């Protein structure tokens, strides 16, 4: 149960990530494929001495997969969303689908509440609980 109200910027950040969850999953796959198969070697060491990276292309790709900042951030965010989503009961999962994953957005909070047979206030309370749980997993809460 949520004890602390999150700052608006954290709520917006988490909701933004919820809206783009499926795009992030596609980005993760694309980045992994780019690292493993698709890109030319970006070695800028022209002349000079030996670099400090392993010379094996397989080792270089493994290091890049582990150290790629955008990939790591996307994986962390999608993992937090997936973890919270999978722990939710069906009606709260439906709220996420209706509010964040339905394109184009068809429903207001009142429309979502009607679809779920609950009040608008209940929907907003559920949303706050979900956003808080995701923010907590991302380390965005002070608790």
């Amino acid at each position: 149960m949520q004890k602390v109200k999150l700052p608006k910027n954290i709520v917006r950040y988490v909701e933004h990530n919820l809206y783009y969850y499926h795009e992030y999953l596609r980005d993760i796959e694309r980045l992994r494929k780019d690292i493993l198969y698709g890109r030319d070697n970006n070695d800028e060491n022209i002349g000079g001495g030996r670099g400090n990276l392993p010379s094996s292309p397989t080792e270089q790709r493994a290091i890049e997969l582990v150290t790629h900042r955008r990939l790591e951030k996307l994986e962390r965010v999608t993992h937090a969303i997936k973890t919270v989503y999978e722990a939710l009961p069906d009606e709260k999962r439906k709220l996420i689908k209706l509010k964040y994953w339905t394109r184009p957005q068809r429903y207001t909070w009142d429309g979502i509440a009607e679809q779920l047979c609950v009040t608008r206030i209940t929907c907003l309370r559920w949303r706050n609980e979900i956003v808080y749980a995701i923010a907590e997993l991302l380390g965005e809460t002070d608790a």
Side-chain angles (χ1 to χ4, degrees), residues 50-56 59-60 63:
R50 292 180 55 188
N52 63 350
L53 292 175
S55 60
S56 163
E59 290 171 354
Q60 288 175 351
I63 288 171

Side-chain angles (χ1 to χ4, degrees), residues 83-136:
T83 300
V84 170
Y85 180 79
E86 288 179 348
L88 293 173
D90 288 340
E91 65 271 6
K92 292 181 182 180
R93 286 184 184 193
K94 188 171 181 184
L95 179 139
I96 288 178
K97 288 178 185 174
L98 290 171
K99 177 64 180 168
Y100 302 106
W101 298 346
T102 299
R103 301 276 168 86
Q105 181 65 48
R106 292 186 210 144
Y107 300 108
T108 62
W109 280 114
D110 290 321
I112 292 170
E114 189 176 310
Q115 290 289 313
L116 297 174
C117 301
V118 296
T119 66
R120 180 178 188 268
I121 298 298
T122 298
C123 281
L124 293 172
R125 186 173 40 85
W126 289 354
R127 185 267 323 254
N128 292 340
E129 291 169 3
I130 292 165
V131 166
Y132 187 86
I134 293 169
E136 200 168 37

